[in-house]
Amino acid sequence: MTENTQQTPDSAPELPTQYAPAAVEGPLYERWVERGYFTADAKSDKPAYTIVIPPPNVTGSLHLGHAFQHTLMDALTRRKRMQGFEALWLPGMDHAGIATQNVVERELGKEGVSRHDLGREAFTERVWQWKEEYGGKILGQMRRLGDGVDWSRERFTMDEGLSKAVQTIFKKLYDDELIYRAERIINWCPRCLTAISDIEVEYQDDDGELVSITYGEGEDTLVVATTRAETMLGDTAVAVHPDDERYAHLIGKRIKLPLTDRSIPVVADTHVDPEFGTGAVKVTPAHDPNDFAIGQRHGLESMTVMDERGVITVHGPFLGLDRFEARSAIVGALRAEGRIVAEKRPYVHSVGHCSRCKTTLEPRLSMQWWVKVEPLAKAAGDAVRDGKVQIHPADMSKRYFDWVDNMHDWCISRQLWWGHRIPVWYGPDGETVCVGPDEQPPAGEGWTQDPDVLDTWFSSGLWPFSTLGWPEKTPDLEKFYATDVLLTGHDIIFFWVARMMMFGLYAMDGEPPFHTIALTGLVRDQFGKKMSKSSGTAVDPLDWMNEYGSDAVRFTLAKGANPGTDVPIGEDWVQASRNFANKIWNATRFALMNGATVEGELPPAEELSATDRWILSRLNAAIAEADAYYDDYQFAKLTDALYHFAWDEVFDWYVELSKTTFMGGGEPAKVSARVLGEVLDVTLRLLHPVMPFVTEALWTTLTGKESVVVADWPKDSGFRDAGAETEIENLQQVITEVRRFRSDQGLQPGQRVPAKLDLSGTSLAAHEGAIRQLLRLQPAEDGFHATATLTIAGATVALDLSGTIDVEAERKRLAKALAAAEKDKAQCTAKLGNEAFLAKAAEAAVEKIRTRLSKAEADIERITAQLEGLPKG
RNA sequence: GGGCGCAUAGCUCAGCGGUAGAGCGCCGCUCUUACAAAGCGGAUGUCGGCGGUUCAAAUCCGUCUGUGCCCACCA
């Protein structure tokens, strides 16, 4: 596109007038990786800064939520790297037990093969193959995003080293009696055919029906209400409240269980709410957690009536029926016997579903492995209470405490094949042996290993240290543990964060896995609604990256990152960020065309113009502000501040003001070129962690240096110049006001107007050229006749509009402004006349009002003068 | 049933005790030493309702309404 390039001086490189991210980003990323910028050195003398990535599922692909969190983690590590830390951002993947097994099973299903046809060994082999071929798509996408991760340290939770970590900690917990095996009611997925833990259950309100059934015969009857009639086959008691007089006469008696030849006892238990339903509860210890507890208290038998697929196993008319078929069949049979008292009633209640496949879960009595969480959770809570670990934003810690302080034991065994197999062998005489990583499993006749694998979160709980080589005392572990920040969504505080805390403190002798937990919100669409694949509102971030560039996507995400709150994002906003990238591009292009440079020392302040001192003062303030926001994980404020500093102050005002200087040429132009070079250099470095690509392309061009990735992070020199800031603010006011006047007068922006300036009473004399340039004011020639005279900040601007002035429009505008100023004056006067205010208000507040008052008075004077200066109409 | 949060411009959100803000959108006018993905100017809000504290409240307290999320063994 040759017509798209502009002629530039020989020395300046030619840049197209529009930033084309696609051409720039890919090669830059590969160059960074080749040069090893992201590879951390455990032997380095620099202080370490470590973030481990929340390992995406091996089955996953990049979605906006990843893009969001990755942007923030990348920004944090990039900045720390620039600040001179040995920064490590460690990537990797999670084997994601159930999720992956399901994917591969589905694949096999297409070939008409089940995993059982293959057998365990061949099946897991198949999963590994699948992993090699299709897994880790997201890792490639991370390159596109610009993630500066250390690829040499990429880990997978099923790696040999990490598997060893799993076995090591299992053994340690087992030996410390923090892991045990017990038969309990667990959440069972009849489709995945495995137990899942409490937090893997998704509750939703389902429509059910409450049916009332008469139990017993003759005098000894009562009515129970249930939504799960099919489990009555396994009832081993009816429970009533001990104080419930309606049933007092039945307590201790046995009554007949309908449809069976069994009779069951009536027991008294305070768990029963006499207000609910009929106040009598059927008790099925093998199929309901509450009933199981009641069974324990009363020594009841547990009768399992369904198999692992939810099919009735009790001999009789219902044998072989699926649980839902059985439900209606049993209700039908009861009705035939006249035992359905009232007609069934629609009833909405919360039902657990498998978080992986959405199947309705079946509580099931079964033998599983458990982690005794109490001591671990206590330590995890204390670490935050003691301030060893900080949670950002702080109010999220309440949620964390609620969880760790009330945690139930964690069911860790899964009836799956894909995962870390439980390192326990059972002997022929009922022995149980837990095998450590360096031990041989017991050999000989009759010994078998537990067939189950561990919950996928068991291994991810070790992630912050297993990835660094634990249980070996590796240099990596020494250097990079504890990690600095754990940045993740608040949706996995319990799944992952709490588990890492427990395991980290336990395995690393009380040293927590990270010092800071930075919790982010979830990404939403532009109306704040959840994005979902099914409704088609989910966006593939790659589409946006392809169209607008990765920097634009990243900047937009960071701009939405108010701590802990959800992040809405719409395509319009990505466009706005793309525009910002383009603005940076063009501003730098302009600078290069005018010889902007970073060569040579910056002249001392006393040799600089007020404009230069002003921008350098603002620049250093911007550095300080950026640092404060970075340190506080305030990405929305950070990006907002940088956006406005760069666009408004540098690209609009400073660049526009500098044009006059450049046109003048000579030494001032050289100084300006140096200052502009400095300002851009720093601004690009400040933006680099969030927008790595444009900034790299421009910064290397501007400075001729190797890469901004390894540049120093800007330091606030402490330079501030309040005088220059005031001066430029006045200048801005003069320009803005005259522009408004021009606009109100219907003058076209480019139209030149003869004008006389009187800047004698101000500090703006040096800016006359700039004022004339920016306001398109021509020198006054013979016959100049001022038709409008504006007085702003002590400066007088007389314009000759040759009789074309719209006096009425101007009078109206001024009258409005005058009214506003007078109102302001009145407000301030009232305040300053208020003794209570003067007595109690802070000095700064009073001073502010005084300033405001004097400004209002000046405005009134100015506007009055202008009104008087208007031609009589 | 418990807990937490949110209600501010058409939309998405900042501000959290001293003159109501941003981005996008909207209305004018413009190719002007980079950038029309731009420039300049403009309009737009009883800061959810009602009470209270205060010299001063979008900001603190109470209450109501609406809304979102988390937790819980709602037969």
Side-chain angles (χ1 to χ4, degrees), chain A residues 22-132:
Chain A
V24 171
E25 296 179 348
L28 283 182
Y29 188 82
E30 294 312 319
R31 196 194 301 164
W32 292 333
V33 173
E34 276 162 30
R35 290 180 179 170
Y37 291 156
F38 306 139
T39 309
D41 179 4
K43 291 192 286 274
S44 159
D45 294 334
K46 299 174 180 175
Y49 183 83
T50 315
I51 294 182
V52 290
I53 207 163
N57 287 359
V58 63
T59 58
S61 61
L62 192 81
H63 57 67
L64 276 171
H66 292 118
F68 170 56
Q69 293 176 9
H70 289 201
T71 295
L72 306 189
M73 283 185 269
D74 195 35
L76 289 174
T77 40
R78 280 179 185 269
R79 169 169 174 259
K80 287 291 174 178
R81 188 175 292 118
M82 292 172 78
Q83 283 184 320
F85 286 80
E86 192 62 32
L88 168 62
W89 185 18
L90 189 145
M93 284 182 294
D94 194 288
H95 68 280
I98 299 187
T100 311
Q101 175 158 330
N102 283 350
V103 168
V104 178
E105 278 195 76
R106 222 175 294 136
E107 292 247 311
L108 284 172
K110 286 183 201 150
E111 303 164 22
V113 183
S114 84
R115 71 178 155 113
H116 301 282
D117 297 336
L118 285 181
R120 182 167 191 146
E121 204 169 317
F123 177 76
T124 45
E125 183 50 38
R126 183 70 187 250
V127 183
W128 275 107
Q129 273 173 24
W130 183 90
K131 186 246 168 193
E132 295 309 326

Side-chain angles (χ1 to χ4, degrees), chain A residues 336-356:
Chain A
E337 285 194 11
R339 286 185 175 273
I340 300 293
V341 186
E343 253 330 290
K344 46 192 186 182
R345 226 173 62 229
Y347 181 68
V348 177
H349 60 144
S350 179
V351 176
H353 295 257
C354 175
S355 61
R356 281 299 152 198

Side-chain angles (χ1 to χ4, degrees), chain A residues 523-544:
Chain A
V523 177
R524 301 304 182 102
D525 71 13
Q526 59 190 307
F527 307 110
K529 294 275 186 316
K530 220 174 212 165
M531 289 193 184
S532 82
K533 277 182 197 156
S534 52
S535 66
T537 50
V539 172
D540 185 345
L542 285 174
D543 290 346
W544 281 352

Side-chain angles (χ1 to χ4, degrees), chain A residues 534-591:
Chain A
S534 52
S535 66
T537 50
V539 172
D540 185 345
L542 285 174
D543 290 346
W544 281 352
M545 283 193 259
N546 289 335
E547 182 153 9
Y548 304 111
S550 300
D551 287 331
V553 173
R554 293 171 58 117
F555 191 80
T556 309
L557 288 164
K559 209 154 188 303
N562 288 118
T565 64
D566 288 347
V567 184
I569 181 169
E571 187 162 358
D572 287 358
W573 308 342
V574 183
Q575 279 174 17
S577 300
R578 181 269 317 265
N579 296 354
F580 180 49
N582 190 236
K583 187 75 185 177
I584 301 169
W585 179 267
N586 273 298
T588 309
R589 214 171 122 250
F590 167 84

Side-chain angles (χ1 to χ4, degrees), chain A residues 389-437:
Chain A
V389 177
Q390 307 234 320
I391 294 183
H392 280 255
D395 38 311
M396 278 284 179
S397 44
K398 182 158 173 32
R399 216 188 260 190
Y400 173 84
F401 290 135
D402 283 348
W403 170 257
V404 294
D405 294 344
N406 299 297
M407 200 187 281
H408 297 297
D409 280 1
W410 172 19
C411 176
I412 52 170
S413 43
R414 297 289 179 275
Q415 288 64 52
L416 303 172
W417 289 349
W418 176 241
H420 300 99
R421 193 150 168 189
I422 291 176
V424 172
W425 268 257
Y426 306 111
D429 301 316
E431 308 96 318
T432 301
V433 175
C434 181
V435 178

Side-chain angles (χ1 to χ4, degrees), chain A residues 488-686:
Chain A
T488 193
H490 61 68
D491 54 330
I492 53 174
I493 299 178
F494 313 139
F495 279 106
W496 193 44
V497 180
R499 267 87 180 256
M500 284 190 288
M501 287 290 286
M502 297 196 303
F503 282 167
L505 292 161
Y506 174 71
M508 298 297 294
D509 297 323
E511 196 181 351
F514 22 75
H515 301 302
T516 300
I517 299 169
L519 294 167
T520 68
L522 277 18
V523 177
R524 301 304 182 102
D525 71 13
Q526 59 190 307
F527 307 110
K529 294 275 186 316
K530 220 174 212 165
M531 289 193 184
S532 82
K533 277 182 197 156
S534 52
S535 66
T537 50
V539 172
D540 185 345
L542 285 174
D543 290 346
W544 281 352
M545 283 193 259
N546 289 335
E547 182 153 9
Y548 304 111
S550 300
D551 287 331
V553 173
R554 293 171 58 117
F555 191 80
T556 309
L557 288 164
K559 209 154 188 303
N562 288 118
T565 64
D566 288 347
V567 184
I569 181 169
E571 187 162 358
D572 287 358
W573 308 342
V574 183
Q575 279 174 17
S577 300
R578 181 269 317 265
N579 296 354
F580 180 49
N582 190 236
K583 187 75 185 177
I584 301 169
W585 179 267
N586 273 298
T588 309
R589 214 171 122 250
F590 167 84
L592 292 169
M593 284 164 57
N594 286 286
T597 179
V598 296
E599 297 296 321
E601 290 289 305
L602 263 187
E606 54 275 18
E607 290 174 25
L608 294 173
S609 69
T611 311
D612 290 339
R613 280 180 281 119
W614 158 72
I615 198 65
L616 289 174
S617 178
R618 294 291 308 133
L619 180 70
N620 281 289
I623 296 171
E625 199 178 14
D627 277 331
Y629 288 145
Y630 263 115
D631 289 337
D632 200 28
Y633 309 98
Q634 296 272 13
F635 291 96
K637 293 196 170 82
L638 168 80
T639 42
D640 191 63
L642 289 178
Y643 179 94
H644 284 111
F645 171 70
W647 200 316
D648 301 348
E649 305 201 61
V650 181
F651 304 154
D652 280 346
W653 283 108
Y654 184 69
V655 162
E656 290 304 321
L657 289 170
S658 70
K659 281 179 181 172
T660 319
T661 318
F662 286 133
M663 280 185 292
E667 191 56 28
K670 275 189 187 161
V671 172
S672 234
R674 178 67 190 86
V675 173
L676 182 54
E678 179 75 12
V679 171
L680 279 177
D681 167 18
V682 171
T683 305
L684 290 170
R685 279 187 279 150
L686 290 174

